Structures are given as structure tokens and as C-alpha cells.
């Protein structure tokens, strides 16, 4: 992310507890964390193969908010 110009102070890997494994449960867990912290933007990094599923899963939980969401592979 630093190579894209993101300040290292603004990068925070987030570890979440998984109730079950999968993109949808990860989207729920991470969405809860960013909502609790009052974030207004989110950068998701995924493989090219997985990008569409990641985008759709996160969009499902964050689409009612004023969000900027970016997805990179």
C-alpha cells in the first residue's frame, strides 16, 4: 500500500475472529470493526480471482453508508 502512496501510519492489518470461514463472514467481521472505528473509506486487497466476490460481499454490508471502497488485486 505504501507504493500507492498510503502513509504507513494509515495502514492497519486487522485480525478478526472467524465464526466460520469464508468471504462473507470476513466481510461481516471487518465491516463491524470499521464501523466501530468510524472509518469512511476502506481499501481491500485480494487476488484477481477473488476480487469480485470480495467487492460484492463487502458492498452488501456497507452499501447504505457514505463509503469509499477500493478493491485491489
Amino acid at each position: 500500500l505504501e507504493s500507492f502512496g498510503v502513509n504507513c501510519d494509515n495502514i492497519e492489518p486487522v485480525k478478526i475472529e472467524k465464526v466460520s470461514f469464508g468471504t462473507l463472514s470476513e466481510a461481516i467481521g471487518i465491516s463491524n470493526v470499521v464501523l466501530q472505528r468510524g472509518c469512511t473509506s476502506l481499501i481491500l486487497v485480494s487476488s484477481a480471482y477473488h476480487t469480485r466476490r470480495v467487492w460484492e460481499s463487502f458492498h452488501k454490508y456497507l452499501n447504505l453508508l457514505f463509503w469509499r471502497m477500493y478493491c485491489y488485486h
Side-chain angles (χ1 to χ4, degrees):
L1 294 174
E2 290 180 65
S3 66
F4 287 106
V6 177
N7 186 316
C8 65
D9 294 333
N10 294 324
I11 300 171
E12 180 184 1
V14 176
K15 184 177 181 178
I16 60 168
E17 293 183 32
K18 294 182 184 180
V19 175
S20 62
F21 180 75
T23 306
L24 199 54
S25 64
E26 291 170 351
I28 294 168
I30 292 173
S31 295
N32 289 335
V33 170
V34 296
L35 289 172
Q36 290 171 356
R37 294 181 182 189
C39 299
T40 57
S41 61
L42 178 64
I43 297 174
L44 302 169
V45 180
S46 183
S47 67
Y49 174 79
H50 200 232
T51 299
R52 183 176 179 170
R53 181 180 294 178
V54 167
W55 178 265
E56 290 174 357
S57 296
F58 277 84
H59 190 264
K60 178 177 181 175
Y61 289 96
L62 300 175
N63 66 351
L64 300 177
L65 305 172
F66 295 99
W67 275 77
R68 290 176 293 165
M69 185 168 63
Y70 308 92
C71 202
Y72 294 97
H73 57 82

